[in-house]
Amino acid sequence: MPVTSSDLYPVSRLAAVREATAKAGLDALLLTPGPDLRYVSGYEAKPLERLTCLVVPAAGEAFMMVPRLELPAAQASPASRLGLDFVAWDETDDPYAIAAGRLGKVAKVGLADRMWAMSSLRFRDALPDAEQVLAGSVLRELRMRKSAVEVAALREAGAAIDSVHRRVPEFLRAGRTEREVGRDIAEAILAAGHETVDFVIVAAGPNGASPHHDVSDRVIQAGEPVVVDIGGQFHSGYCSDSTRTYSVGEPPADFAEYYEVLRRAQEAACAAVRPGVSCESIDAAAREVIADAGYGDHFIHRTGHGIGIETHEEPYIVAGNGEPLEAGFAFSVEPGIYLPGRHG
């Protein structure tokens, strides 16, 4: 059964956030539009110069500052089920001062990780005695551990992007440009149930050696490998992200050789995944295979990243991250080999 917003954004989450805020020694979280606000409330607020902010005190009732013209949208969102007081402010009001007045004296507050500098500075003026830290220091522990419903939402998004990849061979032909192929893929991502297309990379031949290439007017040639990396936000709010490598006809022999190295590296990393092992050990499992084959200098990024309400979130599968994996962590395993000027 498809997951619903009431499943994904349960009323109990607000209480869990309040408890985590108190445990972290913060007096409140201040969550402006972005993934933190959506995770806690389910409200996908527009990022405007007018302040929208969910205020979650460690002790006391949460409330949401909303521009009056955005009040209907906020009340129609899943946030309406949380029993919040929606504080609508008018154009001549100072919403930062109103929020500070309702919050009272505080010593330490957590700001949404994606809060605009404009808003953080206005809150600094409104709460001059409060130390500002990142709300992510509180929310990361909750967001990393996906519930069964969140896992189901990720499976939906993953299945949808898989369905797009199944169509890529019909778009990917010699003589077409990367941009033309990318346009077809973007339309297919939306048709598969995504709300947004977050990225479409179509990297043919030497462009495949740039991990974050976009699309260009380069004409795809017969025999070229093509990296296709695509993803978006599914209607649930959870994200997809899948990279696959194609070949338009028979690929070069040297490419097929190191593609096999890469396949073995990914399999080794996946085989190493289990609760209790460190994030960096998964990175090491992939990196060892690639280094042993002589391509170590051409693996230029981490092995993976968490995925959920954001395409890139914690945990990061990278050297130096000794955090142990836990049940509920969701992350990618995507080692790479990139040979400049040739392919990747």
Side-chain angles (χ1 to χ4, degrees), residues 130-153:
E131 177 187 356
Q132 294 181 344
V133 299
L134 291 176
S137 63
V138 173
L139 296 178
R140 71 180 298 276
E141 297 297 326
L142 298 172
R143 288 183 54 182
M144 279 198 302
R145 296 170 177 83
K146 270 62 177 183
S147 67
V149 176
E150 289 179 286
V151 172

Side-chain angles (χ1 to χ4, degrees), residues 129-179:
D129 298 324
E131 177 187 356
Q132 294 181 344
V133 299
L134 291 176
S137 63
V138 173
L139 296 178
R140 71 180 298 276
E141 297 297 326
L142 298 172
R143 288 183 54 182
M144 279 198 302
R145 296 170 177 83
K146 270 62 177 183
S147 67
V149 176
E150 289 179 286
V151 172
L154 287 169
R155 288 188 186 281
E156 276 190 337
I161 211 69
D162 281 348
S163 73
V164 176
H165 270 297
R166 283 195 292 272
R167 295 189 60 192
V168 167
E170 70 185 75
F171 307 140
L172 196 59
R173 298 189 300 275
R176 302 194 75 198
T177 66
E178 293 174 344
R179 195 178 310 280

